[in-house]
Amino acid sequence: MSISEKILELAKRRGFFYVSSEIYGGISGIYDYGPHGTLLKRKLENLWRKYFLSLSDNFFEIETANIMPEKVFEASGHLTNFVDPVAKCKKCGTFHRADQIIEEFLHENFEGKTAQELTQLIKKYNIRCPRCKGELGEVSVLNMMFPLEVGAGKEIRAYLRPETAQGAYVNFLRNFNILRMKLPLGLAIIGKAFRNEISPRQLLLRQREFTQAELQIFFDPRKLDEHENWNEIANYKLIILSGKKLDKLTCNEAVKKLKLPKFYVYYLAKMQQFFLDELGISENKLRLRQLSDEEKAFYNKIHFDFEIELESGWKEVAGCHYRTSHDLSGHQLVSGKSQEIFHDGKKFLPHVIELSFGIDRIFYALLELNYAEDKDRIILKLPAKLAPYTVAVFPLVNKDKLPEKAQKIYHELKQHFDVVYDDDSSIGKRYYRQDEIGTFLSITIDYDTLKNNTVTIRNRDTKKQIRVKIDKLVEEIKKLI
Ligand code: GAP
């Protein structure tokens, strides 16, 4: 069984995620999160919020609509450029994403190639339909946005947003004024994005409805080569893919050797620190990869992807994008409303650096990278701050006043930690269940508890148990996590 198959089993068994509307067969690429998945996802989102919003006093979170009028995407360029190459099988009629089936065949990345180039490659290597081995037709392009007709007379043409970012751009001027007209200004959105993926696959990695956490940082382009906190990260080493090998470059070296602006590199460093220090991803599983002109998104001048190594290879989970004034100038042109600001004695259009994260991909990576087996035990070794529950409380048996004592402890601990009460089946089964959910510590209330007011704390990863006094329990748990 592959790890992804094991993860899917675990995810269904323990309520992390599963196919949405499953009783009707579901739709591929659309998933629901169960109770434990939702707890983990919220913790991940909250960690992201806390970390990125505290980078500056002028960074704020906003919540914007999922449905946006067509004009927004005319302005942003998504109407014409947000397309994927598609090849239809002449025999079974299945649609495939052309660059991906070629990539699977030739083990090379073909993102960014034109439809014509991809058609030629399919012909040259006689690449057939992965499903029925039938002949593939000419490659064409398909816009990935979901169109909507809004209103009783379906009179308003709109789309489900394909990225959260546009919500921040159409809100920029209003918020710049509300927030006392200071730059850099950060507007963060955590929310759903929708894309009609041609070949949704690999569980949560390529979905049609997914969650993004994006921070748009609006700044004065004259200040591109500086950052007020530069010294903090000047000698911090970035893990950058250079050719086929990894290079560790200090931020100072990245500026000099790769000719990158300081304002941009500062955020590359902060993004890397988030993955390593906050999410506990190990250094050898993370890399930064600069995208070529062919590969990078149509709105970017500089584009680095953050990739995590999974069983299925290196997967993009986030990106640091220098979008210049691409979006604000588009909105200015299409809406006919100036988006310029007056700042530091000059009138100009701010530029944007976008920190863009796919929450579901990171969620999945956390499951895969923390999945472990120990004989017949499955353990999710999530960092304590991400585990759905920090602590589980068990009465040894459901009699002799043990449940009453356990309930009391449970309610006390709830004031400090995320706690679950579990009194179902044997203690062994309860440990097994909590290990699979990733619960960091398990506390058992037994007959000694009634005699001397002590309980046992069991560590998820080592299975070691210690006995502590109840009045020292909160302190002891804080130490352990
Ligand atoms: N606003 C910029 C933007 O949307 P992107 O590279 O298209 O950039 C950002 O998407 C992140 O969203 C990706 O790095 C990835 O983690 C996530 N993402 C993109 N498409 C996805 C999909 N179909 N399913 C799940 N996550 C996806």
Side-chain angles (χ1 to χ4, degrees):
M1 227 186 187
S2 67
I3 296 195
S4 61
E5 283 165 338
K6 289 178 181 179
I7 298 281
L8 181 60
E9 285 299 308
L10 176 70
K12 287 197 284 191
R13 188 167 66 246
R14 296 297 176 207
F16 282 94
F17 65 87
Y18 31 75
V19 170
S20 182
S21 307
E22 206 171 5
I23 57 168
Y24 296 105
I27 300 176
S28 60
I30 301 189
Y31 287 88
D32 288 342
Y33 282 83
H36 300 128
T38 305
L39 284 169
L40 169 56
K41 189 162 179 255
R42 292 288 172 269
K43 286 196 173 179
L44 171 58
E45 290 167 357
N46 285 336
L47 209 59
W48 186 93
R49 241 181 213 112
K50 196 165 155 224
Y51 182 84
F52 286 102
L53 293 183
S54 50
L55 291 181
S56 160
D57 289 342
N58 209 33
F59 287 3
F60 300 87
E61 184 177 359
I62 56 172
E63 186 178 311
T64 68
N66 289 328
I67 299 174
M68 301 180 93
E70 184 170 49
K71 288 272 181 211
V72 170
F73 303 108
E74 183 187 329
S76 68
H78 283 79
L79 266 188
T80 32
N81 299 310
F82 198 58
V83 290
D84 265 351
V86 61
K88 188 179 174 188
C89 173
K90 289 184 178 168
K91 194 169 152 203
C92 71
T94 308
F95 288 94
H96 299 283
R97 207 175 126 172
D99 55 339
Q100 274 170 9
I101 48 169
I102 302 173
E103 183 181 329
E104 273 155 26
F105 195 79
L106 298 174
H107 305 290
E108 244 180 84
N109 187 354
F110 289 95
E111 219 174 311
K113 295 263 181 246
T114 64
Q116 216 180 359
E117 286 166 332
L118 295 172
T119 304
Q120 277 163 6
L121 282 164
I122 288 177
K123 285 203 177 124
K124 182 171 169 194
Y125 293 100
N126 191 23
I127 299 171
R128 317 284 291 188
C129 170
R131 199 181 223 187
C132 74
K133 301 279 169 264
E135 193 189 337
L136 294 169
E138 301 263 311
V139 176
S140 56
V141 289
L142 179 88
N143 193 295
M144 289 166 73
M145 289 193 293
F146 286 108
L148 294 172
E149 290 163 321
V150 179
K154 302 186 172 180
E155 64 277 19
I156 305 161
R157 282 190 63 81
Y159 289 88
L160 286 173
R161 64 181 182 193
E163 57 168 0
T164 66
Q166 295 307 320
Y169 302 140
V170 297
N171 266 283
F172 166 69
L173 211 48
R174 181 187 295 275
N175 285 306
F176 177 72
N177 290 325
I178 292 170
L179 297 165
R180 288 167 296 152
M181 301 192 273
K182 283 195 289 184
L183 287 185
L185 167 65
L187 295 178
I189 299 174
I190 299 180
K192 290 281 190 174
F194 305 84
R195 297 181 188 177
N196 194 6
E197 294 284 352
I198 300 159
S199 315
R201 56 173 70 194
Q202 294 180 307
L203 306 175
L204 305 180
L205 296 186
R206 193 168 292 283
Q207 297 178 80
R208 288 179 163 138
E209 174 179 339
F210 54 97
T211 302
Q212 290 186 321
E214 297 192 304
L215 172 62
Q216 314 298 323
I217 305 165
F218 299 85
F219 67 100
D220 181 342
R222 287 169 297 172
K223 302 201 169 156
L224 183 61
D225 290 314
E226 59 191 81
H227 193 285
E228 58 174 354
N229 299 327
W230 179 256
N231 289 340
E232 221 183 78
I233 49 92
N235 294 313
Y236 177 75
K237 287 190 174 162
L238 298 167
I239 313 163
I240 296 182
L241 182 70
S242 162
K244 290 214 167 7
K245 67 175 187 40
L246 286 182
D247 228 359
K248 285 203 175 170
L249 291 184
T250 66
C251 291
N252 270 332
E253 288 167 339
V255 168
K256 284 200 193 96
K257 287 193 186 159
L258 306 178
K259 302 201 174 10
L260 297 172
K262 279 189 178 171
F263 195 76
Y264 179 84
V265 173
Y266 177 82
Y267 291 103
L268 279 183
K270 288 292 146 189
M271 288 176 78
Q272 181 175 303
Q273 285 174 349
F274 176 72
F275 281 109
L276 301 183
D277 306 340
E278 299 296 319
L279 301 185
I281 306 285
S282 60
E283 270 193 40
N284 61 349
K285 293 282 178 196
L286 182 78
R287 72 182 189 191
L288 280 62
R289 186 172 76 84
Q290 182 161 25
L291 272 62
S292 64
D293 284 346
E294 252 184 359
E295 289 174 296
K296 69 188 182 196
F298 62 91
Y299 43 74
N300 281 335
K301 185 164 175 194
I302 307 175
H303 186 160
F304 271 77
D305 274 348
F306 281 71
E307 299 180 336
I308 290 183
E309 190 178 26
L310 298 175
E311 183 194 45
S312 52
W314 286 94
K315 299 290 162 192
E316 171 206 340
V317 292
C320 186
H321 306 154
Y322 178 27
R323 292 178 77 133
T324 65
S325 60
H326 169 89
D327 301 271
L328 288 185
S329 38
H331 290 303
Q332 176 164 276
L333 191 74
V334 173
S335 69
K337 298 185 178 97
S338 168
Q339 299 296 306
E340 286 184 322
I341 56 165
F342 195 75
H343 188 260
D344 268 356
K346 266 211 153 184
K347 205 174 171 207
F348 63 95
L349 269 183
H351 278 205
V352 171
I353 297 236
E354 173 188 56
L355 320 189
S356 173
F357 293 75
I359 290 292
D360 314 79
R361 286 193 186 175
I362 299 169
F363 175 101
Y364 178 79
L366 286 169
L367 292 190
E368 200 181 296
L369 297 178
N370 289 296
Y371 179 92
E373 287 174 2
D374 172 21
K375 297 187 192 113
D376 64 338
R377 194 164 77 103
I378 292 170
I379 319 146
L380 265 191
K381 293 187 170 177
L382 292 163
K385 60 184 161 188
L386 284 168
Y389 303 112
T390 318
V391 184
V393 174
F394 311 147
L396 181 68
V397 286
N398 281 317
K399 57 181 185 180
D400 300 335
K401 299 247 163 30
L402 291 182
E404 288 81 351
K405 188 80 179 165
Q407 275 288 332
K408 193 160 175 272
I409 293 173
Y410 165 67
H411 285 291
E412 275 165 23
L413 291 181
K414 260 189 120 171
Q415 293 173 36
H416 304 272
F417 312 103
D418 299 310
V419 195
V420 60
Y421 187 83
D422 193 348
D423 61 0
D424 198 22
S425 56
S426 71
I427 278 281
K429 283 195 178 142
R430 287 182 236 171
Y431 283 147
Y432 189 86
R433 179 160 52 234
Q434 296 305 327
D435 288 345
E436 288 198 345
I437 294 170
T439 307
F440 195 63
L441 301 169
S442 298
I443 289 169
T444 305
I445 285 80
D446 55 20
Y447 288 104
D448 282 346
T449 312
L450 302 179
K451 282 188 227 150
N452 59 14
N453 260 330
T454 61
V455 293
T456 60
I457 306 181
R458 172 189 177 269
N459 181 299
R460 175 195 65 196
D461 301 344
T462 60
K463 291 202 286 188
K464 282 213 178 102
Q465 301 200 12
I466 51 170
R467 225 175 160 96
V468 299
K469 285 256 178 223
I470 293 175
D471 56 4
K472 293 266 182 286
L473 191 53
V474 171
E475 210 179 296
E476 201 59 47
I477 294 172
K478 281 188 181 160
K479 247 195 261 164
L480 291 169
I481 62 175

